[in-house]
Amino acid sequence: MISSSEKEKLIAACLKAREASYSPYSDFCVGAALLGEDGRIYKGCNIENAAFTPTVCAERVALFVAVSEGVRQFSALAVCGGKKDAALPLAICAPCGVCRQALREFCGDEMPVFLVQDAEHFEEVTFASLLPKSFGPENL
Ligand code: THU
């Protein structure tokens, strides 16, 4: 259970992360923020590439930054996305399938995920609702 002040900061962090999006090919800017068990927030934005396939989503950038800093457990995720010039509130942007599986390695079923439209508007779901009957480390 995260506090309301942590939730507020996480939501603000994903909106801030979106500002750094490098998405000249889609013009679709995504921001993600993960709250680590260490209490720190790890941000990521989508980073596109002229060759297209090396493009990486905001959620995986945030996850890989955190893991590369030694953090492997998370208490919440916030995500927002929309066209570069879209007015707030944005439409809901849920993590893509690849990111759900990447997150599955480190995130628990009950972890809250905030699908953020702006600082005041968001939908809260559990991670398991995004990836039911999933495959993870304990299946090997
Ligand atoms: N994108 C993300 O960053 N996260 C998602 O979960 C969905 C898609 C990015 C990838 C690409 O740069 C752009 O949004 C359009 O697909």
Side-chain angles (χ1 to χ4, degrees), residues 13-15 17-19 21 29-33 44-46 58-59 78-81:
C14 90
L15 289 162
R18 181 171 172 265
E19 293 174 14
S21 168
C29 303
V30 184
C45 64
N46 56 327
E59 296 89 329
V79 181
C80 65

Side-chain angles (χ1 to χ4, degrees), residues 23 26 28 30 46-48 55-59 93-96 99:
S23 41
S26 73
F28 193 83
V30 184
N46 56 327
I47 303 170
E48 298 189 344
T55 291
V56 63
C57 293
E59 296 89 329
C93 172
C96 79
C99 287

Side-chain angles (χ1 to χ4, degrees), residues 18-93:
R18 181 171 172 265
E19 293 174 14
S21 168
Y22 176 75
S23 41
Y25 307 106
S26 73
D27 265 346
F28 193 83
C29 303
V30 184
L34 268 169
L35 179 60
E37 59 163 358
D38 60 350
R40 287 183 56 198
I41 289 174
Y42 296 88
K43 299 203 300 280
C45 64
N46 56 327
I47 303 170
E48 298 189 344
N49 188 279
F52 289 8
T53 51
T55 291
V56 63
C57 293
E59 296 89 329
R60 272 175 288 153
V61 172
L63 178 68
F64 297 161
V65 165
V67 173
S68 70
E69 293 192 21
V71 178
R72 296 178 181 177
Q73 284 188 308
F74 302 97
S75 35
L77 167 68
V79 181
C80 65
K83 283 284 186 182
K84 189 167 66 185
D85 298 322
L88 298 182
L90 302 168
I92 293 281
C93 172

